[in-house]
Each structure stands twice: as C-alpha cells, then as structure tokens.
Amino acid sequence: MKIEDVLDRYGDDLYRIGISFMQNRSDAEDAVQETLYKYMAKAPVFESEEHERHWLIRVMVNECRNIQRLRFRSVPLSTDDVPAFTEEDMHVMDTLRILPYKYREALLLHYSEGYPLKEIAEMLNISESAVKMRIHRGKKAFILAYGKEFGDE
C-alpha cells in the first residue's frame, strides 16, 4: 500500500492518539512521522486491514513512549491543537494529562480506541492482569482528579 493511502486511512487515528498521549501538536506530529517512516522502512506484510491498523497503533504508542523518554518537558495542550474538542473534552484531557503515563496509555487504548485487554497487553508488552490493574487504578485516579479539580462529586 502506498504511504498516501496509509495516511488517508489511518492518519487521523494516529494523530488523535499522538495528541492524547503527547499533549502537544509538535510531539504528536513527530510520533506520526516516525510511525510512517517505520512503516515504509520495514514494509511489513499484513494479514488484514485490522492487523495493519493494530501494527500502526502499536508502533505509534511506542514512538510516543520514546519521545517522552527523550524529552523532559511538558507543553500543555491547547484548544488550538484540537479545535474539535469541547470544553468538557478539554477538562477530560487536562485530567488525563496529570495521570501517570502508564495509566493514561491503558485508559486511552481501552476506552478511546476500543482495544480489548489482550491486544493492549500485546501492544504494551505486559500481562493482561497488569493491563486490568492499570485500567482499574487509572480509573480511580481519574475519578479522584476529575472530581476534585472540576468540582464534580
């Protein structure tokens, strides 16, 4: 498949994941670019469209992790980065941003992207029980932070 086709088919999903994980446009774009570069360099053969999407998202998550390891800065997400977000969405994103990264990535992959626990475990290279625990702890931390920060009891 041509890279233009891959970008047309999966570009929005990859960028959304990048924004969710990285919290700024520049890092999200870097992660998408690196993901597409790896796609071109490795030229993998996929069994299905879902397998291709799964591979790209796994690479994207890993790229986000790599960028975060290399950069010790945090640039707040602004509404300019994602103009389609409502004020409520921005409150949710702000709350997610303060969670530890391992909880944030598990929550986003499960609830935002709809991946089952088994696939998340494969993507993150951890056990299914570790994924369950991260989601459970992440949900508790999210509820506490969202309730305190925004006054929703």
Side-chain angles (χ1 to χ4, degrees):
M1 181 180 295
K2 292 181 179 180
I3 196 65
E4 293 85 10
D5 296 336
V6 172
L7 193 54
D8 285 343
R9 183 175 288 164
Y10 304 110
D12 289 343
D13 290 340
L14 295 175
Y15 183 72
R16 186 181 67 249
I17 290 168
I19 285 290
S20 297
F21 279 81
M22 305 308 297
Q23 304 297 314
N24 72 74
R25 179 183 299 179
S26 177
D27 287 344
E29 290 170 352
D30 288 348
V32 170
Q33 185 176 15
E34 285 299 315
T35 299
L36 294 175
Y37 172 77
K38 287 188 176 172
Y39 181 90
M40 291 185 316
K42 296 188 185 278
V45 176
F46 300 105
E47 299 167 6
S48 66
E49 190 174 306
E50 185 60 30
H51 181 226
E52 180 178 41
R53 182 177 187 275
H54 179 84
W55 186 91
L56 285 164
I57 289 176
R58 183 177 352 171
V59 172
M60 183 68 182
V61 168
N62 289 337
E63 285 305 318
C64 290
R65 282 178 165 177
N66 291 340
I67 290 170
Q68 285 193 330
R69 279 188 209 119
L70 296 173
R71 296 185 181 154
F72 297 105
R73 63 181 169 89
S74 176
V75 179
L77 182 65
S78 73
T79 53
D80 294 338
D81 289 334
V82 187
F85 275 8
T86 65
E87 189 173 328
E88 175 77 14
D89 292 336
M90 291 306 297
H91 289 311
V92 170
M93 293 302 292
D94 288 342
T95 304
L96 282 170
R97 189 179 76 238
I98 65 174
L99 297 180
Y101 185 78
K102 65 183 182 179
Y103 298 151
R104 185 175 0 139
E105 73 181 348
L107 289 172
L108 288 169
L109 287 171
H110 187 64
Y111 291 109
S112 179
E113 297 303 316
Y115 279 100
L117 300 177
K118 183 177 180 179
E119 289 186 35
I120 296 170
E122 291 171 6
M123 284 184 216
L124 302 180
N125 208 17
I126 59 176
S127 69
E128 279 187 64
S129 62
V131 172
K132 287 180 190 177
M133 185 58 68
R134 286 182 185 187
I135 290 172
H136 175 74
R137 290 179 179 166
K139 281 172 40 177
K140 285 174 72 174
F142 179 87
I143 290 167
L144 283 173
Y146 191 82
K148 279 186 198 173
E149 186 170 339
F150 302 112
D152 296 338
E153 299 286 333

